[in-house]
Amino acid sequence: AQSVTQLDSHVSVSEGTPVLLRCNYSSSYSPSLFWYVQHPNKGLQLLLKYTSAATLVKGINGFEAEFKKSETSFHLTKPSAHMSDAAEYFCVVRQDSSASKIIFGSGTRLSIRP
Amino acid sequence: NAGVTQTPKFRILKIGQSMTLQCTQDMNHNYMYWYRQDPGMGLKLIYYSVGAGITDKGEVPNGYNVSRSTTEDFPLRLELAAPSQTSVYFCASRKTGEETEAFFGQGTRLTVV
C-alpha cells in the first residue's frame, strides 16, 4: 500500500527567500508523484508531476521538485517566494501497479511574510 | 472544454436528509474519483471508478454510495446525512495511463445541520 507524509503542516517564509516543502512517500512499486496547489476557496491545480523520465522536475510558477528514491522523498522548492505563492500544497502519490488509487498527503500551508 | 463539473457548489442539508452530488467530465476519462476535504486536512478518497459499471471503495466510504452508468457521470449519494459529513467534496478524473494526472472540479461545500 502507498502512503505520503508531508513533514510540515505550516511553513512561513519571507518574500524573496527560498521555499522548501517536504514530502516523503511509501510505495511498494515505482510511484507517480505529484504536487498540487490549492488557493483559498479554490479548486486544486497541478504544479508538477514526477513520472520516470527525470528526477528533477520543473513545474509552473518557478517551482521544482526532486525525486530521491534512496530517501523516498519528493520535496518541493522555489528559489524566491512571492506573495502569490501563499496557499495550501499537497503531495500526492499514485502506485502504478494498481493504477487506480490516488492518495493525498495532509497538506502544507505556506505563508509569505512581506 | 468544461473539464470536470460539479453541482451544486453549496448545499445545506438537515440531519437524515439525502442528496446526490453530481459530477460530470467531458474529457472521456476512464478514471473518476470522489474526495472529501475537512478543514485543515488533506483530501480523503471516498470512492473511485476505473470505468463505466465499475466502482470501488476508497479510504472513507461509509455513509456514501456511488454509481457509474456512463463514462461521463459519477454521482455521489448521501442517504442519511450526518453532521460528520459536513465537508468540501471534490470530484476528479484522469485518463488511462501510468503517468497521467488527475483533473479536479471546483468542489461542493456541504453543511449538515
Side-chain angles (χ1 to χ4, degrees):
Chain A
Q2 70 269 36
S3 66
V4 57
T5 302
Q6 292 184 243
L7 298 166
D8 307 292
S9 59
H10 182 214
V11 170
S12 179
V13 302
S14 297
E15 189 175 20
T17 64
V19 174
L20 170 64
L21 305 184
R22 299 182 294 165
C23 172
N24 286 102
Y25 71 91
S26 170
S27 178
S28 304
Y29 301 89
S30 297
S32 292
L33 294 158
F34 310 83
W35 277 98
Y36 281 83
V37 61
Q38 184 181 34
H39 288 93
N41 298 313
K42 299 288 187 183
L44 291 115
Q45 180 183 19
L46 179 70
L47 269 182
L48 50 81
K49 66 178 180 180
Y50 164 76
T51 55
S52 57
T55 57
L56 183 62
V57 182
K58 294 189 184 298
I60 62 172
N61 300 335
F63 284 94
E64 63 182 38
E66 186 172 9
F67 173 70
K68 292 187 176 180
K69 187 175 181 178
S70 61
E71 299 175 11
T72 61
S73 68
F74 189 55
H75 301 333
L76 182 70
T77 60
K78 182 173 181 177
S80 178
H82 191 273
M83 293 300 292
S84 61
D85 295 328
E88 190 87 18
Y89 291 80
F90 295 99
C91 185
V92 178
V93 63
R94 183 163 67 80
Q95 186 172 303
D96 287 331
S97 65
S98 67
S100 298
K101 291 184 180 180
I102 299 175
I103 303 299
F104 276 70
S106 55
T108 298
R109 181 165 61 92
L110 177 63
S111 300
I112 312 296
R113 301 187 299 270
Chain B
N1 192 341
V4 180
T5 303
Q6 292 182 235
T7 56
K9 288 186 170 53
F10 303 94
R11 183 71 186 268
I12 298 175
L13 275 184
K14 293 185 178 178
I15 294 171
Q17 285 185 322
S18 62
M19 77 162 294
T20 299
L21 281 66
Q22 301 291 345
C23 175
T24 187
Q25 51 92 8
D26 61 359
M27 298 174 282
N28 201 33
H29 287 173
N30 281 334
Y31 294 87
M32 295 189 75
Y33 305 83
W34 273 108
Y35 291 89
R36 60 175 288 172
Q37 182 180 30
D38 298 322
M41 306 289 286
L43 278 70
K44 294 294 185 183
L45 181 63
I46 305 172
Y47 271 95
Y48 64 100
S49 168
V50 302
I54 306 170
T55 63
D56 208 346
K57 296 178 180 178
E59 302 167 278
V60 289
N62 292 344
Y64 306 94
N65 280 300
V66 292
S67 60
R68 185 91 183 275
S69 57
T70 66
T71 299
E72 295 77 21
D73 301 306
F74 191 41
L76 178 71
R77 179 84 177 161
L78 284 72
E79 290 294 349
L80 290 170
S84 62
Q85 293 177 305
T86 294
S87 190
V88 180
Y89 292 83
F90 288 97
C91 179
S93 73
R94 70 173 179 90
K95 64 181 180 181
T96 303
E98 288 190 352
E99 301 175 346
T100 56
E101 71 270 22
F103 294 82
F104 285 82
Q106 289 299 300
T108 295
R109 186 176 296 274
L110 176 67
T111 303
V112 182
V113 297

